[in-house]
Amino acid sequence: MGLPTLEFSDSFLDSPDFRERLKCHEIELERTNKFIKDLIKDGNMLITALKNLSAAVQKFSQSLQEFQFECIGDAETDDEVNIAQSFKEFSQLLNTVEEERRRLIQNADDVLITPLEKFRKEQIGAAKEGKKKFDKETEKYYSTLERHLNLSCKKKEAYLQEADTQIDKERQLFYDASLEYVFKIQEVQEKKKFEFVEPLLAFLQGLFTFYHEGYELAHEFEPYKQQLQFNLQNTRNNFVSTKQEVEKLMKRIRSADQDYKPPGQWTMEGFLYVQEKRPLGCTWIRHYCTYDKGSKTFSMSNTETKSSGKQPEMFKLKSCIRRKTDSIDKRFCFDIEVVERHGVMTLQALSESNRRLWLEAMDGKEPVRNFAPVDMDLDPETWDNKTITSGLKNYLRSARPTSCASLTNYRVCAVHALVHKLPERNKEMLELLIKHLVTVSAQNQYNLMTVSNLGVIFGPTLMRSQEETVAAMMNIKFQNIVVEILIENFNKVTVTFANLSAPFNYYNVFLYRSLITKPYLPLQLCRDAKAMYSCEAEHSHELSFPQGALFSNVYPSVEPGWLQATYEGKTGLIPENYVVFL
């Protein structure tokens, strides 16, 4: 039930019922005043919380902005570039949201706190002041009235008239205070309907504006989100493919013999224990040693000392002799002679196979294993589809390929040029396979084999790295891109253009070698060449030669402007513009 109405005429009667109704208004006014105070307190807490949230989001956004993705490998795919850039996009989006939130916080005090505080102080405060005046005049009037009624009728007429005048004056002041208080308390009750609600509505409108801005930003962010999800899915597919290859490599390394020599820039490297003679005997100190066969450079670094800035000791190897077991009370030992020291240095390998690797690296060449292909007839009634498919993948996996990465248009042109440099039989084989993959990808809505998925499957199959290392496995993603280009641009790649060429760079060389070196075709990639000028090697992997030197097994190197060749039994790099092919 609502509040009772206060009539002005009741102020003159000042009846108990009037007082009771007036008290109901006073209780409601006090309740409203308390509610507004609590609301202001909660509003300030909300604004403080919004400020703290905004500061935390800005700190979070700054952290996203400062973080830099580092991917494995020297190059990055388009997917990796977009993913690395995503944190900065997220940061920019959060900053835009926080700008709108800061405006909300700045306006919250003006549209919510200040009007509520003003209404409480000016309106409710004025009503409380009216109550104080009303109570004061009430007490004064009834005290005067009581004294007036106690006057004796025997008083002089002039005195009684003056007393009547005084009581009339006090009564009028009481009536005025009562009327003003009744008017004010009802005015506040009516004003709170709009002056109390309007600030809340304005605050909610600002809040809705903030949320709407977030909705608009989310709508604008949708295309980027979809593209990023596509990039993430491609990266996840590449990860699954790379993980499988790396796990296979790990298992092969784990199951390999102890004499397995991992690929690297040195002919041989690893830990050796070096014998050092002391006054009271000798001691064995662990060193990390490297050996380069071309320059006969042997280096060792003491790993047991804590000084990190010490340079490794470098020696020129003169000879290496296996140490007999009966000549020393240690196993796996061998002696070397170096130019810089007199006498021999006794070294201890980690095992017999490890000692054999060191001896082979310092004295002779490592054996080269050649594998010959095996032809066989496949009876469709005997072999199922999975077996034939696995055989086909192994058949295509015989290449020595690696990755290819460039801008989209350049990639298509480069792949087109390299495909048309292939021998006819290789090109026909490649065209037959890619044409089939185009047909498969066209039905991706049924078989779920999209171009990206086919790239993940056939990239490692068609273009396997020459060296099975983790770094090579990380480049599988580029192999996938090459297969995607071949499938997506099949008509462009297979069509023949006159005078078409592409820059013969690092990626082109690898792609060309990966597509052309099939052991099951009688190809002759390596050629002979003759030096037009003399050259002195500056690095251990280069060859020194005089003018007129004849080279064999010459083929493009992975480094632009260089060729891989063999001269006087040594294989290394020679400048491409120093020789002519025979």
Side-chain angles (χ1 to χ4, degrees):
M1 187 175 180
L3 294 173
T5 305
L6 296 177
E7 297 293 342
F8 291 117
S9 58
D10 293 337
S11 300
F12 298 103
L13 296 176
D14 196 19
S15 64
D17 180 63
F18 170 74
R19 289 284 181 166
E20 192 67 28
R21 284 183 280 130
L22 188 61
K23 186 176 181 180
C24 293
H25 282 265
E26 292 173 348
I27 293 174
E28 174 61 23
L29 198 65
E30 183 62 29
R31 190 176 69 88
T32 302
N33 182 57
K34 183 177 182 304
F35 177 72
I36 292 178
K37 290 176 66 176
D38 293 339
L39 193 63
I40 292 174
K41 178 181 176 181
D42 294 339
N44 286 324
M45 292 177 61
L46 175 60
I47 293 174
T48 303
L50 289 175
K51 290 180 180 179
N52 294 335
L53 174 60
S54 180
V57 173
Q58 292 177 38
K59 182 64 174 63
F60 180 72
S61 174
Q62 183 180 358
S63 300
L64 292 178
Q65 182 72 25
E66 294 174 353
F67 182 77
Q68 181 66 37
F69 260 104
E70 293 295 342
C71 300
I72 299 176
D74 298 331
E76 296 179 348
T77 64
D78 295 339
D79 297 327
E80 290 173 337
V81 172
N82 290 340
I83 291 174
Q85 186 65 25
S86 64
F87 276 14
K88 292 181 173 54
E89 293 290 338
F90 297 159
S91 175
Q92 183 177 356
L93 178 66
L94 291 175
N95 286 334
T96 305
V97 173
E98 289 314 304
E99 288 179 5
E100 189 64 30
R101 194 196 304 276
R102 282 194 291 270
R103 284 193 288 270
L104 171 66
I105 295 173
Q106 291 171 359
N107 295 332
D109 188 73
D110 296 333
V111 302
L112 178 64
I113 305 301
T114 301
L116 290 178
E117 190 67 36
K118 181 179 180 181
F119 177 77
R120 190 182 71 84
K121 289 182 177 180
E122 293 183 0
Q123 300 299 325
I124 298 180
K128 287 186 175 183
E129 290 296 325
K131 174 177 172 52
K132 291 180 181 179
K133 182 178 179 182
F134 172 69
D135 291 341
K136 180 179 179 182
E137 293 296 333
T138 299
E139 183 180 359
K140 184 177 179 182
Y141 168 67
Y142 282 108
S143 298
T144 305
L145 179 61
E146 186 176 354
R147 290 195 303 270
H148 180 72
L149 294 177
N150 290 329
L151 289 176
S152 175
C153 56
K154 297 180 180 181
K155 295 287 186 178
K156 293 182 179 180
E157 186 65 26
Y159 182 79
L160 294 174
Q161 289 180 357
E162 183 180 355
D164 291 339
T165 303
Q166 182 65 28
I167 195 63
D168 291 339
K169 182 178 179 182
E170 294 296 334
R171 182 183 295 107
Q172 187 61 43
L173 291 175
F174 166 71
Y175 290 158
D176 291 343
S178 178
L179 291 172
E180 290 177 0
Y181 180 50
V182 168
F183 175 80
K184 189 62 180 177
I185 198 171
Q186 292 191 116
E187 179 186 30
V188 173
Q189 297 290 3
E190 292 298 314
K191 274 189 174 182
K192 76 176 182 180
K193 297 177 183 179
F194 52 91
E195 290 193 2
F196 182 26
V197 178
E198 279 181 345
L200 295 174
L201 178 62
F203 175 74
L204 290 178
Q205 182 62 36
L207 200 61
F208 293 151
T209 302
F210 167 73
Y211 289 142
H212 181 73
E213 180 69 19
Y215 172 79
E216 292 293 333
L217 289 174
H219 183 71
E220 296 174 2
F221 187 71
E222 185 66 24
Y224 177 79
K225 185 188 74 172
Q226 294 178 355
Q227 179 61 38
L228 183 60
Q229 289 174 337
F230 177 76
N231 299 141
L232 293 172
Q233 185 59 44
N234 285 345
T235 306
R236 182 178 286 106
N237 294 339
N238 290 334
F239 165 75
V240 173
S241 176
T242 303
K243 180 183 178 182
Q244 294 174 353
E245 295 296 327
V246 173
E247 287 177 346
K248 292 178 182 178
L249 174 62
M250 181 182 66
K251 292 178 181 178
R252 286 195 295 272
I253 297 298
R254 180 181 296 169
S255 61
D257 296 334
Q258 293 186 0
D259 58 355
Y260 172 76
K261 167 63 174 67
Q265 60 174 330
W266 306 104
T267 308
M268 186 63 190
E269 61 179 318
F271 284 103
L272 292 173
Y273 284 83
V274 181
Q275 185 186 49
E276 294 185 4
K277 295 181 179 181
R278 301 292 173 84
L280 299 180
C282 64
T283 183
W284 296 83
I285 306 298
R286 188 176 69 167
H287 289 71
Y288 191 81
C289 304
T290 62
Y291 177 69
D292 182 68
K293 186 174 182 179
S295 60
K296 291 188 175 182
T297 302
F298 177 77
S299 68
M300 58 183 191
S301 301
N302 190 343
T303 61
E304 297 185 1
T305 58
K306 296 183 179 180
S307 57
S308 58
K310 188 176 180 180
Q311 296 296 326
E313 299 180 80
M314 309 291 292
F315 304 99
K316 188 79 171 181
L317 184 68
K318 292 171 61 178
S319 64
C320 175
I321 302 174
R322 182 177 63 86
R323 188 71 175 264
K324 293 182 179 181
T325 306
D326 55 2
S327 65
I328 189 172
D329 189 23
K330 288 283 186 179
R331 303 174 65 195
F332 320 132
C333 294
F334 60 97
D335 296 335
I336 64 172
E337 287 185 298
V338 296
V339 176
E340 290 78 7
R341 289 189 182 183
H342 295 288
V344 298
M345 296 172 58
T346 301
L347 308 176
Q348 183 184 27
L350 304 181
S351 63
E352 180 60 36
S353 59
N354 184 246
R355 177 173 67 172
R356 184 168 63 253
L357 284 176
W358 280 102
L359 294 175
E360 289 177 356
M362 293 179 174
D363 295 336
K365 298 179 180 179
E366 295 188 39
V368 178
R369 299 179 180 179
N370 295 320
F371 297 93
V374 178
D375 295 330
M376 61 183 298
D377 296 327
L378 298 178
D379 184 2
E381 297 180 357
T382 305
W383 304 89
D384 59 13
N385 290 338
K386 291 191 293 183
T387 304
I388 296 176
T389 303
S390 299
L392 177 61
K393 291 178 68 176
N394 289 329
Y395 175 77
L396 298 172
R397 193 176 285 161
S398 304
R400 297 181 297 163
T402 183
S403 61
C404 177
S406 178
L407 297 176
T408 303
N409 295 334
Y410 172 79
R411 292 171 180 168
V412 177
C413 295
V415 172
H416 178 280
L418 294 172
V419 167
H420 286 273
K421 289 181 182 180
L422 293 174
E424 195 62 31
R425 292 181 62 185
N426 296 74
K427 188 166 62 175
E428 290 177 359
M429 180 64 191
L430 180 65
E431 182 175 350
L432 179 65
L433 176 63
I434 300 302
K435 185 176 181 180
H436 171 67
L437 297 183
V438 171
T439 304
V440 173
S441 66
Q443 304 296 325
N444 66 82
Q445 57 181 340
Y446 305 109
N447 56 30
L448 303 182
M449 297 306 296
T450 62
V451 174
S452 177
N453 291 340
L454 291 173
V456 171
I457 295 172
F458 282 89
T461 300
L462 293 178
M463 292 181 289
R464 182 165 295 275
S465 303
Q466 298 181 26
E467 297 177 348
E468 292 189 347
T469 63
V470 175
M473 298 303 174
M474 292 298 109
N475 286 331
I476 288 178
K477 53 196 175 186
F478 298 111
Q479 302 168 8
N480 303 344
I481 292 175
V482 174
V483 176
E484 291 179 20
I485 292 174
L486 289 171
I487 297 174
E488 290 177 339
N489 303 274
F490 175 73
N491 295 329
K492 296 181 181 179
V493 172
T494 55
V495 69
T496 303
F497 291 107
N499 301 323
L500 182 64
S501 62
F504 197 68
N505 66 0
Y506 173 87
Y507 301 110
N508 291 353
V509 171
F510 270 141
L511 179 60
Y512 183 62
R513 291 176 62 190
S514 67
L515 295 175
I516 198 171
T517 28
K518 303 290 185 185
Y520 50 84
L521 292 181
L523 304 178
Q524 297 294 331
L525 283 179
C526 301
R527 303 170 60 183
D528 296 332
K530 181 179 180 180
M532 296 186 296
Y533 314 101
S534 61
C535 179
E536 186 70 24
E538 297 181 354
H539 302 283
S540 59
H541 58 276
E542 300 174 3
L543 295 178
S544 299
F545 54 87
Q547 183 179 3
L550 297 178
F551 303 97
S552 60
N553 300 326
V554 182
Y555 58 88
S557 170
V558 297
E559 299 185 26
W562 291 83
L563 300 173
Q564 192 82 10
T566 302
Y567 174 65
E568 293 184 348
K570 296 182 179 180
T571 301
L573 297 178
I574 59 174
E576 185 178 7
N577 56 353
Y578 273 50
V579 301
V580 292
F581 288 101
L582 300 179

